[in-house]
Amino acid sequence: MSSKRKINLLGTVTGYTRQSQMGTRVASIAVDGLRARYGRTEVLCGLDLAIAAGRSVALLGPSGCGKTTLLRALAGFVPASAGTIRVDAVDMTHAPANRRGMAMVFQSYALWPHMTVAQNIGYGLKLRNVSAAARTRKVDRVLEMLRLTGLGDRPATALSGGQRQRVALGRALAVDPRVLLLDEPLSNLDARVRFEVRHELRALQQELGVTSVCVTHDKEDAMVLGDDIAVVVEGRIGQIGPPSDVYEQPADPWIADFLGATNRIALTLTADAEAPLLGPSLVAAPGADWQTAVRARDPAPGHRVLCFRPGEVIETTGDGGGPPAPDHGPVIAGTVVDSVYVGGAYRSRIRLESGVILADLPQSRPADATVRLRLQVPGGRLFPAAES
């Protein structure tokens, strides 16, 4: 056997130039035109996705968009009706799950309640006929890596939620997977523990360098856990890129809305450099930085929809005149419907001529009070209006 391709005691391929810190070869993934269905319902609709070796990708989307089906198709648990899944350029579309070199952490953790922590972590090694001595060495290493040293003999049922999550992760890592798959790994944790474990998991991903794919519907989880975020929309990838790019420059109004830019105002983009935005709820604001305040994917004149988040406006006074504010954009006029305190701000419903938006104000305002909100820079995203 070549020295460049040798089998270690866990039965996985090592010796390649791209390896994780656990010594395992990590893999690239290429998904082309993937289709999968449940009965007559097609869930994945010609999906394409490329993941470089050692890269972490978070699949983000609402319930029913197909992200979990994609994860299970990668793992080999859901058959593909069309398209291909390649791991390091090798077609794995119809390969059995145990031949794909992947390990999955399930949403429920799926720990064996009658086993100890060490037995749970070492279960996959036992199935691979790894000797008891080698199994003990590997389990001890995983326990130390996950800060579970001293808990090996404890029943899995006697652990906290965060500890159970780490045991489930340790069971997956113990078999040295080329690809690590995580299905909503933080959904069962309360807010405080979730915040802590989220960053622990990210640090561990970076330390190990293993290729990983994580499913989540929580955008903060996705931004922490993913080198890239892939937004899944109705069985396809709607947008993929680094978290900052996807968050700040969403590809369309639906993705902008899903990532928090829930406010929409219909307006017209004109060729007038002084006042390029015309709309029933906009107030003339001489000196406003129109060009940098609003990022338009299509700068040509025409009907547009302006999307922005509740926290991307500040309250102003008067008609928006006075000294120009170089870091502020268009002024939006409306009246307060109601306000609720959300921590650090009062989230207020503001009625405009064109509808209702949400704005985070520094102080509570009484119902029917008139307010003017100036869009911050960068804060607005202009998209072509949907054709009727």
Side-chain angles (χ1 to χ4, degrees):
M1 181 176 293
S2 169
S3 61
K4 294 179 66 177
R5 179 181 171 89
K6 56 184 179 181
I7 307 299
N8 69 4
L9 63 97
L10 296 179
T12 54
V13 180
T14 61
Y16 287 76
T17 55
R18 188 71 172 115
Q19 295 183 354
S20 73
Q21 292 298 312
M22 295 287 285
T24 308
R25 173 194 172 201
V26 294
S28 63
I29 301 173
V31 179
D32 296 302
L34 187 65
R35 294 181 179 274
R37 61 176 62 246
Y38 293 111
R40 295 184 178 181
T41 303
E42 189 169 63
V43 181
L44 300 182
C45 311
L47 183 144
D48 299 318
L49 177 65
I51 303 174
R55 198 80 173 163
S56 174
V57 172
L59 301 178
L60 177 66
S63 298
C65 69
K67 59 187 185 296
T68 298
T69 299
L70 172 57
L71 194 77
R72 295 178 67 84
L74 291 174
F77 301 147
V78 171
S81 57
T84 58
I85 298 171
R86 291 184 174 88
V87 179
D88 278 348
V90 177
D91 192 341
M92 292 285 183
T93 310
H94 303 293
N98 62 348
R99 298 295 179 88
R100 300 192 179 203
M102 303 183 186
M104 189 165 178
V105 177
F106 295 92
Q107 182 175 352
S108 64
Y109 307 150
L111 300 180
W112 295 105
H114 62 285
M115 292 183 182
T116 65
V117 169
Q119 289 170 335
N120 268 281
I121 291 176
Y123 185 71
L125 303 177
K126 185 176 181 180
L127 292 180
R128 288 162 173 77
N129 296 318
V130 176
S131 69
R135 197 160 66 236
T136 298
R137 289 195 300 270
K138 188 58 179 285
V139 169
D140 287 345
R141 183 181 176 191
V142 171
L143 288 170
E144 180 181 3
M145 178 179 63
L146 296 176
R147 295 192 295 113
L148 294 171
T149 301
L151 299 181
D153 294 330
R154 184 174 296 186
T157 54
L159 300 177
S160 67
Q163 289 171 332
R164 291 186 189 190
Q165 192 273 344
R166 281 183 285 196
V167 172
L169 180 62
R171 182 177 57 189
L173 293 174
V175 298
D176 287 353
R178 292 192 292 163
V179 177
L180 179 64
L181 307 176
L182 304 106
D183 184 12
E184 299 276 7
L186 307 177
S187 62
N188 292 328
L189 304 178
D190 62 51
R192 183 189 63 80
V193 176
R194 184 179 190 136
F195 180 84
E196 178 183 354
V197 175
R198 174 194 288 152
H199 289 273
E200 286 182 353
L201 184 54
R202 176 58 175 165
L204 188 62
Q205 286 174 331
Q206 293 178 316
E207 178 185 349
L208 296 178
V210 64
T211 306
S212 62
V213 184
C214 176
V215 160
T216 182
H217 63 273
D218 185 283
K219 65 178 182 290
E220 190 168 345
D221 285 352
M223 286 189 283
V224 172
L225 296 176
D227 296 317
D228 295 299
I229 292 177
V231 183
V232 184
V233 183
E234 296 182 346
R236 295 183 175 89
I237 301 299
Q239 184 175 0
I240 185 170
S244 59
D245 290 355
V246 175
Y247 186 79
E248 297 295 344
Q249 301 178 39
D252 57 47
W254 189 95
I255 295 176
D257 184 286
F258 185 73
L259 293 177
T262 56
N263 293 321
R264 297 190 184 193
I265 297 179
L267 48 75
T268 300
L269 179 63
T270 75
D272 186 347
E274 293 296 322
L277 305 180
L278 298 178
S281 302
L282 297 183
V283 177
D289 191 348
W290 298 95
Q291 300 301 320
T292 58
V294 176
R295 290 167 285 188
R297 284 188 169 267
D298 180 4
H303 296 298
R304 297 288 183 270
V305 57
L306 174 65
C307 299
F308 57 96
R309 298 182 176 91
E312 292 177 332
V313 292
I314 61 172
E315 191 172 5
T316 185
T317 58
D319 61 1
D327 59 343
H328 297 157
V331 171
I332 303 164
T335 57
V336 175
V337 177
D338 52 34
S339 299
V340 293
Y341 186 67
V342 293
Y346 289 86
R347 181 150 297 171
S348 305
R349 288 196 297 162
I350 310 296
R351 181 180 292 109
L352 312 180
E353 288 187 43
S354 55
V356 176
I357 64 170
L358 296 174
D360 290 344
L361 305 181
Q363 297 177 341
S364 179
R365 293 286 182 260
D368 296 326
T370 299
V371 294
R372 283 177 167 79
L373 310 170
R374 196 187 289 267
L375 192 66
Q376 297 189 72
V377 177
R381 297 147 193 86
L382 272 181
F383 300 99
E387 295 182 2
S388 57

